[in-house]
Amino acid sequence: MDRRSILKAAGTISAAAAALAAFPRAVFAAYSEKAFKNPKVEDSLNELFGGNATTPSGDVKLKAPDIAENGAVVPIEVSTSLKADKIAFMVKENPNPLAIVADIPAGTEAMVKTRVRMGKTTQVTAVVSSNGKLYTASKEVKVTIGGCGG
Amino acid sequence: MSSIRIKAKERKGSVDVKTLMKHNMETGLRKNKDGSKIPEHWITDVTAESGGKTVFAAAFNTSISKDPYLAFAFAGKKGDTLKISWKDNTGKTDSAETVVK
Amino acid sequence: MFKGLTVGLVAVAMSMGASAGASNVSSSKLIKEATAAYKQVSKDTGYQWTVSVKALKAAQAAFDKGKYTDAEAHARAAMDLIEATRLQAKIEADTWKMRVPK
Amino acid sequence: MKTIIRSTLGTLGLGLALGVSAGPVEDQAAFQKYYENKFPNTPVMDFQNGVYSILPEARQQWEAIEEFPPYEIAIENGEKLYHSKFANGKSLADCFGPEGAVRGQYPFWDKDRGMVITMERAVNECREANGEKPYGWKKGKIADVTAYMSFNSRGQEIKVDIPSDDPRALAAYEEGKEQFYTKRGQLNFACADCHMLTAGNLYRADTTSPAFGHATSWPVFRSKWQSMGTLHRRFAGCHNNIRANPYKAQGTEYSNLEYFVTYMSNGLEFNGPAARK
């Protein structure tokens, strides 16, 4: 809960960002308006990682369906053999693409599973931050409009 | 009853964690029957602590599905305690503890 | 079967267009007739189409607003749908047996 | 399961040979055989997994959801409701035993009352008999309680009985059967059209599930609903889709339809609650 009290003390969003800058490695990923309420993937990456140059990598394994059964609940999973400190998911054409960013402290496996919402057919990208660089894996997930929605 | 369900099981020195957090995760895009927007309401931060240190943390957007699900794995053993907490955008928090099986 | 229903649907489309000189009295009468037909079909077949209910409600709503031409159009549409429901039930009374695997 | 099929097939063969008109046993054999022929790659017992028994891609997502299924919350709620005391000090446990593992007994034909009794009805009748108000029929507490009871009953065999010494039971079955095969609504579909004759086909973007196995997994957490619901809630949803007015949940029509559909899945196992699209 330490980082929470830091954030609380800092008070405003910009102060929280300042706190992030002051503790670039020690502070865990916290929600930030600038990273999450942002329609541009590049800007979100900048906000999260201080850079947005990414390299597709076969070492990042992304599991996502070809066709989503239901756009409201799309299971996704990423794992990597790289030594990761952070993992993020982007859903390209969602109003705000960044869905989640997770911290992977030492001793924790570089793996995250969750379920996301997708408004329409688009690319899902997993971003792994490792040794100051960003590695990605992407996949297009089709979202269809149901016929027998009941 | 806590809003958080946790399953934590050790497998060769690694603890597999699966957690489900009951939360509406309102996107702010849905409308009431009268046409007014339902305000956004979602979990922004989740942390998992074990043995006095953070073993996993995540920040969510509104695009995480209702009743968010997370699975991860950390170095630990049977008998360790694991505490998972969340905070939402209204400042509400909840937490739950479990013992690794 | 299909033909019967198509006829029903075409009739709906046509009746939406035609109705001049609608009045309080004439539209009220039509709505009453449609409602009576609805009740009779419910009794005879045990079921209804959702669209018939919607058309009846639309007719009543238009009537309440004094839009008698619209009210009559909706009431006629309801009657056609109700008639198509009756036709469906009549055809299905025996046809369903053909779908049972032997 | 296998014995059932073999014996019913035997009966069927005999029935045809002698020119006897089809009864429930023959219906069931022909029904199950129909799906086995239509989906030869699906192991028979797998039909209880609904559309996922025939759609490998969707199945993977379903399995990911089942890792921590959303209905677990319902099961926990249901457990609390199940054991919470009525005003008179009793609880549902006094009607259905310590765990409520009675799914395999429903639906059944009640000879005394001359009607089909579903598990939901039994739960509410237990409440009313103890001076409590019944739950609503389609979602909420009824779904939570039956989720708990179904969960504790997983693996029980479906063996719906149509007692031969009560012609009214056969009549109820026949009525359910007629419901299943009769076209309804402005879209002019029968249950059998989508879930039998064209089961596995796409309707816009949805693949229809085989009706063999339809009644096994209730109550269900549907992603579409984002909540739990009972079988009769789903029946009503289907009827709305084809633009037919739904019947009342737990009315004669849906109860008899449940009786028929569940009987058709005899030999499978109850495996509810479940997660569905």
Side-chain angles (χ1 to χ4, degrees):
Chain A
M1 295 314 265
D2 274 353
R3 75 190 167 86
R4 297 254 162 75
S5 37
I6 291 172
L7 289 186
K8 213 173 196 179
T12 65
I13 291 154
S14 56
L20 262 174
F23 306 99
R25 294 278 168 233
V27 174
F28 289 107
Y31 176 79
S32 98
E33 196 86 4
K34 265 190 170 170
F36 281 88
K37 297 291 179 211
N38 202 320
K40 282 197 162 159
V41 171
E42 294 76 16
D43 293 355
S44 292
L45 289 176
N46 256 333
E47 202 58 40
L48 290 175
F49 304 110
N52 61 23
T54 59
T55 317
S57 166
D59 293 329
V60 179
K61 306 282 183 212
L62 171 65
K63 233 171 104 178
D66 297 331
I67 304 170
E69 263 240 283
N70 185 313
V73 197
V74 184
I76 52 172
E77 174 181 355
V78 64
S79 59
T80 179
S81 53
L82 300 168
K83 198 188 163 332
D85 48 76
K86 280 188 171 65
I87 295 177
F89 278 113
M90 303 279 182
V91 182
K92 198 174 173 189
E93 290 191 36
N94 273 0
N96 299 305
L98 176 60
I100 174 175
V101 57
D103 277 285
I104 311 294
T108 293
E109 277 180 36
M111 183 275 285
V112 184
K113 280 191 212 183
T114 189
R115 299 168 187 161
V116 298
R117 294 176 165 132
M118 295 181 58
K120 56 179 159 184
T121 297
T122 182
Q123 208 174 48
V124 174
T125 302
V127 184
V128 170
S129 146
S130 173
N131 293 320
K133 286 191 175 162
L134 302 178
Y135 301 93
T136 60
S138 297
K139 182 175 179 182
E140 184 173 89
V141 176
K142 283 199 175 69
V143 176
T144 50
I145 307 301
C148 293
Chain B
M1 190 163 42
S2 170
S3 64
I4 306 172
R5 271 66 170 175
I6 310 170
K7 292 177 188 173
K9 207 174 173 193
E10 188 208 326
R11 170 181 53 88
K12 292 178 189 165
S14 177
V15 178
D16 279 336
V17 183
K18 291 172 183 162
T19 180
L20 194 74
M21 292 155 267
K22 193 168 166 51
H23 198 288
N24 267 344
M25 298 296 282
E26 283 297 344
T27 58
L29 303 171
R30 287 203 317 142
K31 285 180 178 170
N32 282 312
K33 275 184 184 157
D34 64 9
S36 62
K37 274 194 178 174
I38 302 173
E40 53 182 12
H41 182 206
W42 82 104
I43 292 177
T44 55
D45 295 273
V46 179
T47 37
E49 295 156 289
S50 183
K53 76 185 221 310
T54 302
V55 293
F56 186 87
F60 287 172
N61 210 338
T62 48
S63 51
I64 296 295
S65 301
K66 183 185 168 183
D67 298 336
Y69 169 72
L70 268 181
F72 56 91
F74 68 96
K77 59 183 188 307
K78 193 177 163 180
D80 287 355
T81 58
L82 173 71
K83 182 181 173 187
I84 295 181
S85 337
W86 59 253
K87 182 182 86 173
D88 71 20
N89 67 317
T90 65
K92 209 182 140 204
T93 64
D94 197 8
S95 66
E97 257 185 42
T98 190
V99 176
V100 175
K101 281 182 184 155
Chain C
M1 175 68 215
F2 193 64
K3 206 172 162 191
L5 287 183
T6 316
V7 169
L9 296 179
V10 169
V12 170
M14 283 167 61
S15 58
M16 293 298 279
S19 59
S23 71
N24 182 349
V25 179
S26 63
S27 56
S28 163
K29 183 166 168 266
L30 259 183
I31 291 172
K32 268 188 195 136
E33 280 173 22
T35 308
Y38 178 85
K39 283 183 181 154
Q40 191 58 45
V41 163
S42 281
K43 219 172 123 189
D44 296 346
T45 70
Y47 72 96
Q48 287 289 355
W49 293 1
T50 51
V51 280
S52 313
V53 184
K54 276 187 193 153
L56 272 181
K57 277 189 184 154
Q60 190 59 48
F63 179 84
D64 292 343
K65 283 185 195 151
K67 294 182 172 172
Y68 304 122
T69 310
D70 287 357
E72 289 198 6
H74 286 302
R76 283 204 186 87
M79 293 247 256
D80 292 335
L81 290 165
I82 290 160
E83 201 42 48
T85 308
R86 182 191 298 286
L87 190 63
Q88 181 183 51
K90 192 175 163 191
I91 293 163
E92 285 298 304
D94 282 313
T95 315
W96 71 266
K97 291 173 191 152
M98 291 166 57
R99 298 186 193 102
V100 182
K102 300 270 166 14
Chain D
M1 180 68 209
K2 271 184 187 145
T3 5
I4 290 180
I5 288 186
R6 218 176 292 133
S7 64
T8 47
L9 281 180
T11 324
L12 177 70
L14 198 66
L16 288 177
L18 300 175
V20 175
S21 70
V25 174
E26 292 80 8
D27 285 352
Q28 187 196 95
F31 184 94
Q32 298 190 355
K33 199 75 208 152
Y34 180 89
Y35 290 95
E36 286 167 39
N37 290 338
K38 196 175 177 75
F39 304 104
N41 297 326
T42 299
V44 173
M45 291 306 281
D46 205 40
F47 279 109
Q48 63 203 33
N49 293 320
V51 78
Y52 307 116
S53 64
I54 58 167
L55 273 189
E57 161 79 18
R59 190 187 187 102
Q60 283 185 8
Q61 291 172 66
W62 173 62
E63 283 169 353
I65 301 280
E66 287 278 341
E67 269 183 20
F68 209 133
Y71 56 70
E72 288 206 4
I73 294 167
I75 294 173
E76 281 184 33
N77 287 346
E79 180 171 12
K80 269 201 314 193
L81 292 167
Y82 188 83
H83 294 285
S84 66
K85 298 269 182 261
F86 302 141
N88 67 6
K90 291 189 176 179
S91 71
L92 287 170
D94 288 288
C95 293
F96 305 105
E99 293 185 316
V102 297
R103 188 65 189 88
Q105 299 169 21
Y106 299 91
F108 74 91
W109 177 257
D110 185 328
K111 279 184 210 172
D112 296 335
R113 299 163 67 191
M115 66 190 290
V116 171
I117 308 293
T118 64
M119 188 163 83
E120 290 83 357
R121 175 176 289 282
V123 165
N124 270 343
E125 288 184 348
C126 170
R127 288 181 57 81
E128 288 181 293
N130 285 286
E132 300 288 319
K133 277 190 183 148
Y135 296 141
W137 289 123
K138 287 184 178 173
K139 54 184 174 181
K141 289 175 178 171
I142 192 75
D144 289 353
V145 160
T146 52
Y148 171 72
M149 295 168 76
S150 294
F151 183 72
N152 288 337
S153 313
R154 276 186 177 182
Q156 290 179 0
E157 190 185 332
I158 302 176
K159 38 185 178 186
V160 177
D161 182 36
I162 300 165
S164 51
D165 58 350
D166 189 344
R168 294 172 305 169
L170 184 62
Y173 163 88
E174 288 291 341
E175 202 185 297
K177 178 175 159 185
E178 185 174 342
Q179 283 286 347
F180 184 83
Y181 290 106
T182 302
K183 285 181 188 287
R184 289 284 152 84
Q186 191 186 27
L187 299 190
N188 205 31
F189 281 129
C191 306
D193 283 331
C194 295
H195 296 288
M196 182 164 217
L197 304 172
T198 65
N201 287 19
L202 275 174
Y203 282 80
R204 288 178 68 197
D206 284 339
T207 303
T208 50
S209 51
F212 182 26
H214 257 179
T216 64
S217 57
W218 298 86
V220 153
F221 185 97
R222 266 191 105 210
S223 304
K224 178 87 190 174
W225 292 335
Q226 287 291 300
S227 70
M228 299 290 297
T230 60
L231 177 59
H232 291 205
R233 180 181 181 190
R234 189 70 190 94
F235 282 160
C238 251
H239 266 143
N240 262 318
N241 279 345
I242 60 164
R243 299 185 194 157
N245 269 7
Y247 294 109
K248 281 199 176 70
Q250 298 297 327
T252 318
E253 294 89 354
Y254 282 165
S255 295
N256 290 348
L257 181 57
E258 179 176 344
Y259 193 44
F260 168 77
V261 174
T262 318
Y263 182 83
M264 286 296 109
S265 291
N266 268 5
L268 299 182
E269 288 172 353
F270 283 110
N271 61 345
R276 289 288 184 271
K277 179 179 180 173

